[in-house]
Amino acid sequence: MSAREQILGRVRAAVGAGRSAAETDRLAARLDEHPRHLVPERGQLDPSARRALFVDMAVEAAATVARVADGAEVPDALTTYLSEQNLPARVVMAPDPKLDAIPWDQAPLLEIRRDKAEGDDAVGVAAAFTAIAETGTLLLVSGAASPTTINFLPETHVVILDADEIVGPYEDAWDRVRAAFGDAPPRTLNLITGPSRSADIEQTLQMGAHGPRRLHIILIDGAAED
C-alpha cells in the first residue's frame, strides 16, 4: 500500500468513525432524494412568465436577446445581429445535434465551421442545455458536440435557446441535468450570466475581461411579437 493510499484510508476511517448504520442510511437517502430548499416566488412562474423573466434578467446582466418564432428565423436573426455589430459573417459553431434542424442554408453568405473554437475565432455559436429564469442564466454542458472553448475564446458568444428549455429555479435545472446524464454528468457545466466582466482594476467595469465581451441569445419561443 502506498503512502497516499494509507493517508486516504485513515481519512475515510476518521470520517466514518462513530457513525451508526442508521445515520449512514439517512445520509444516503438524503443524497438520493435531492431535497430542495425554499424556492422563491420568482422561480415558480408559468411558462410565459418564465420566458419574460429570463429575458429581463439576461438583459439586466448586459446580454442582448432576439426572440424569434421558430428555428427557420434563426439564420436571419444571426446574420442581422452580426451585421448590426459590424462583425464578420463567419462563425465557429458547436457540432451539436440541437442545431442541425436549423436551416442554415437560408443564410448563404454566412460562413460556418462546425468545430471547437480556436484563438482567432471572432464569433462562437452554441446551444444551451437549459436556462434559469430567476437569474437570466444559461447552462451549457461540455462534450464532443458542445466544446467548452466556444463559450470562452471568441469575443462574441451567441447562444441558441428554445423556450421549452427555460426553467424557473436552479433546482429544476439540476433535475434536468440528472435526468439527461444520470450518474455520468458532463465533465464541465458552464453557468453563464451575461458577458464576461470585471471591475478589479480601479473599480472600472471592463467587458470581456476573462471571456466574451458580448453575449447574444436567440430565443426560439414563438412569441417574438410579445
Side-chain angles (χ1 to χ4, degrees):
M1 181 181 294
S2 68
R4 178 177 182 275
E5 291 171 333
Q6 290 176 0
I7 292 171
L8 291 177
R10 293 192 189 103
V11 171
R12 293 189 188 98
V15 170
R19 181 179 298 157
S20 68
E23 289 174 324
T24 300
D25 290 343
R26 281 198 298 272
L27 289 172
R30 181 176 175 81
L31 291 173
D32 289 339
E33 292 169 1
H34 307 296
R36 297 186 174 211
H37 295 290
L38 180 66
V39 175
E41 289 186 7
R42 64 189 289 119
Q44 304 179 49
L45 303 173
D46 62 66
S48 178
R50 280 202 302 268
R51 288 198 300 267
L53 178 60
F54 172 80
V55 171
D56 288 345
M57 297 303 295
V59 170
E60 186 173 326
T64 54
V65 181
R67 301 175 71 175
V68 299
D70 54 47
E73 296 184 9
V74 171
D76 182 64
L78 176 56
T79 55
T80 297
Y81 173 74
L82 296 178
S83 176
E84 291 174 346
Q85 298 297 319
N86 197 29
L87 292 167
R90 182 172 61 255
V91 305
V92 58
M93 183 179 297
D96 194 325
K98 294 170 69 173
L99 300 174
D100 293 343
I102 295 175
W104 298 109
D105 57 349
Q106 293 185 12
L109 299 181
L110 181 64
E111 181 182 332
I112 299 175
R113 178 170 62 85
R114 303 292 292 273
D115 201 353
K116 64 180 182 297
E118 304 292 348
D120 57 351
D121 287 308
V123 182
V125 179
F129 175 77
T130 188
I132 299 98
E134 62 176 328
T135 54
T137 299
L138 299 164
L139 191 157
L140 290 88
V141 300
S142 66
S146 50
T148 299
T149 53
I150 289 181
N151 304 337
F152 296 104
L153 289 183
E155 283 205 338
T156 300
H157 189 201
V158 179
V159 178
I160 314 300
L161 172 66
D162 193 290
D164 292 340
E165 295 166 338
I166 299 176
V167 299
Y170 280 84
E171 287 83 355
D172 286 355
W174 299 130
D175 284 346
R176 287 197 172 210
V177 171
R178 294 186 191 100
F181 300 102
D183 294 330
R187 184 177 180 86
T188 304
L189 298 173
N190 294 130
L191 294 167
I192 299 173
T193 308
S196 174
R197 74 196 78 188
S198 175
D200 291 342
I201 302 175
E202 297 182 351
Q203 298 301 300
T204 300
L205 183 64
Q206 298 290 334
M207 304 302 288
H210 309 292
R213 65 174 60 248
R214 303 181 192 88
L215 173 61
H216 184 61
I217 302 165
I218 300 179
L219 176 61
I220 305 172
D221 70 345
E225 71 280 359
D226 290 357

